[in-house]
């Protein structure tokens, strides 16, 4: 298990590497996109989307 942080459009996003798989932290992305909404609301709305 290895953690790494990358910078994407001035947003720090955590990446977890486990053997052959990489996982990104969608909470980090949601915090940057939230505005008036909380990051939990952004993630709930994203998961509710039929195209996700």
């Amino acid at each position: 298990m290895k953690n790494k942080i990358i910078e994407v459009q001035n947003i720090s996003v955590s990446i977890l590497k486990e053997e052959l798989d990489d996982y990104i932290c969608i909470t980090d992305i949601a915090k940057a996109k939230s505005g008036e909404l909380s990051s939990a609301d952004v993630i709930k709305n994203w998961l509710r989307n039929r195209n996700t």
Side-chain angles (χ1 to χ4, degrees), residues 1 7 12 17-18 20 28-29 34 39 41 46 50:
M1 188 182 324
E7 189 86 16
S12 297
K17 183 167 181 74
E18 243 180 63
L20 298 177
D28 292 343
I29 298 169
S34 63
S39 57
D41 290 333
W46 177 71
R50 147 183 349 165

Side-chain angles (χ1 to χ4, degrees), residues 22-41:
D22 292 337
Y23 300 95
I24 62 169
C25 182
I26 60 173
T27 333
D28 292 343
I29 298 169
K31 285 178 189 174
K33 297 288 181 186
S34 63
E36 295 177 10
L37 298 173
S38 71
S39 57
D41 290 333

